[in-house]
Structures are given as C-alpha cells and as structure tokens.
Amino acid sequence: MNCKRLLCFVLCLLTCMLAVQCSVQDNSSITLTPQEIQYIQTLQKPIVVAPCPGYPPIDFTDAKGNFIGLSQDYVELISKKLGNNFEIKKIHSWADVLREAQERKVDMVISIQDVPERHWYLQFTKPYIRIPNVVVVQKSNTKVKSIYDLKGMKVAAVKGYAVVDYITKKFPTYTLELVKDESEGLMKLAFGEYDAMIISLSTVSYLIDTYSITNLRVAGTVGYDWNLCIGVRSDNPLLYSVISKALDSIPEKNKVNCSENGFRWHHALFIMKRNFGIYWLY
C-alpha cells in the first residue's frame, strides 16, 4: 500500500511539473531550454530591478511613490511572461544605481545605455527604444543654435549618464555641471542657474508640459541617442538569457503601446510632436 501511494505521489508530482513547464512555454510564447525553465522555477526570491530614478516618461514615480513609465510596463510584461515576481528597488540617483549594480545588489537595471565601460558587471539586451538627446536653453538665449555653441557656458547633465562621457570626449573644453536627475537640472535651467542642459527629448517634453515651463526651447540634437536596453548582472547568464528571450518575444505592435498603461508614452509623444514637431522611435 505504501509503495502504491508513493508511486501515485511521484506520478502526480511529475504531472504537475510537466504542466508547469508547458505553462511557462505556452503562456509566455517563448522557447526556453530545460536549464532556463529549471532556473526560473527554482528562484527562491524575486528578481531585483533598479529603474532609472527621475526619468519621465520612461522611469519615474507617481504620487504614491510607485515606479511607473514605459520601462516599468516592459518589466510587467516580462514578469507575466516568465511567471516570476520582480522587486523594484528604489535608488536615490543614477550614480547609485550603477554602484549597486557593480556591487551585485540588484539583478537588473532598466533604461540603460550599452557602453563598453559597463560590460564587466552587466550584460545588455537588444535596445527596446531609441530617444535622441537634445540641447535645451532659455528662449532668451539666441546665441545657442546647436551643440557646437556651448563653449564657455554652464551646461547641466545628469551624473553617471553615458552622454556625459560622450560630451567630455568630443567637447573637452565644455564645462559640465552634474545634477542628480533631469528634473533638477531643467528647473535650475529655467531659473537661470545654468545656460543649457543636455537631456533626452522625451523627458524635456514631458517636464515642460507637466510643469508648464514656458521659457525653454530645444536648440538642437546632441548627436548621441539613447538606445535603451535592460542590463542584467554579468555573473548570471541564465537570467540574462531568459530576460532577453522574454523581451524579444514582445510583439512589435506592443512595443510602444506597452501594456494597459501605454497611454503615458503616447501622451509623451503627443507633447513632443506638439512642442517640437519631431520625434524618433524604432
């Protein structure tokens, strides 16, 4: 009798395991290897994700302190596809996000640029959106017509952003003032503390509309676009593999209108088109 019960238990267990495997593969519409399936099924804790703080409309917080934005919508879709929980870790600044990624305190970083200097601690997925960086100045500043007119001016940029290295190398005589995030830099620019700011077109459009800023204009593009990826800790190749497959499996039609909250990104596109007449997307 005991042997029969044990046999029934084993058969039931195998049936359940097979059902779970089929659910992972069929419901998520991705093909995982046996090792990848075992990995996501045996995770003992949530995957820790670090968004880019203060980067609307891509990554930012709502009135309740919850992270929202386009990248967060991607994280939710990937989580549903893999059937795993993702823990969003709130980190004060982008520089701190990079530091915690280097110290292996987070598993994933979203909304991040793939640059060689980060390869020792992160592996990067394919980009899921492309956004140009632009030069923003006050409307009263008629001297600045492009990125080449900033010599001798105080130019704000976010500390830790890859575009800072680009500007420093291409324009070594420029004076960059590093700020915590886009909101801080743009507000100080609006009040005359800076002469210009390097910022993504999507973010400046969103902030100008949200805070009804009327004294700023876009002077031109920087020549260095954001090709935003997901960065996965380099010491976990199985996690990188399943995240890449899940991201690649998202249909093209959903990559702008991402999840039920896609209106946020469409709203940003509307602002960009209305205020500046141009926008770029894949």
Side-chain angles (χ1 to χ4, degrees), residues 165-179:
D165 293 333
Y166 170 81
I167 296 293
T168 301
K169 292 175 182 177
K170 189 173 179 65
F171 305 97
T173 60
Y174 284 8
T175 302
L176 292 182
E177 302 285 340
L178 301 183
V179 296

Side-chain angles (χ1 to χ4, degrees), residues 53-56 92-95 155-159 161 177-199 203-204 207-208 211 213 216:
Y55 183 42
H92 182 66
S93 68
W94 180 246
V155 182
V158 177
K159 183 179 181 180
Y161 276 16
E177 302 285 340
L178 301 183
V179 296
K180 183 186 71 173
D181 56 35
E182 281 88 352
S183 297
E184 176 188 332
L186 200 69
M187 288 301 179
K188 289 184 177 181
L189 171 63
F191 284 102
E193 294 186 41
Y194 299 126
D195 300 309
M197 184 175 184
I198 306 299
I199 187 172
T203 300
V204 68
L207 292 175
I208 282 177
Y211 296 109
I213 302 172
L216 300 181

Side-chain angles (χ1 to χ4, degrees), residues 246-257:
L247 181 62
D248 290 343
S249 72
I250 297 175
E252 289 296 326
K253 64 180 180 180
N254 292 342
K255 287 191 176 180
V256 173
N257 186 21

Side-chain angles (χ1 to χ4, degrees), residues 13 21 29 32 64 98 110 120 150 162 165 167 193 206 226 230 235 244-245 248 271 274-275:
L13 181 61
Q21 287 184 353
S29 301
L32 301 179
K64 297 181 180 179
L98 297 180
I110 54 177
W120 68 271
L150 300 180
D165 293 333
I167 296 293
E193 294 186 41
Y206 185 92
W226 290 137
I230 297 175
D235 61 346
S244 294
K245 287 182 177 181
D248 290 343
I271 297 166
R274 184 190 66 192
N275 289 348

Side-chain angles (χ1 to χ4, degrees), residues 206-236:
Y206 185 92
L207 292 175
I208 282 177
D209 185 78
T210 299
Y211 296 109
S212 301
I213 302 172
T214 59
N215 67 331
L216 300 181
R217 68 179 178 89
V218 171
T221 59
V222 172
Y224 184 88
D225 294 347
W226 290 137
N227 292 283
L228 299 182
C229 310
I230 297 175
V232 182
R233 52 188 298 168
S234 58
D235 61 346
N236 195 335

Side-chain angles (χ1 to χ4, degrees), residues 135-157 167 171-178 189 192-198 217 219:
V135 179
V136 179
V137 297
Q138 289 193 354
K139 289 181 178 178
S140 59
N141 185 341
T142 58
K143 295 181 180 179
V144 178
K145 302 184 184 302
S146 74
I147 184 69
Y148 296 95
D149 300 325
L150 300 180
K151 186 175 181 179
M153 297 185 179
K154 293 176 63 177
V155 182
I167 296 293
F171 305 97
T173 60
Y174 284 8
T175 302
L176 292 182
E177 302 285 340
L178 301 183
L189 171 63
E193 294 186 41
Y194 299 126
D195 300 309
M197 184 175 184
I198 306 299
R217 68 179 178 89

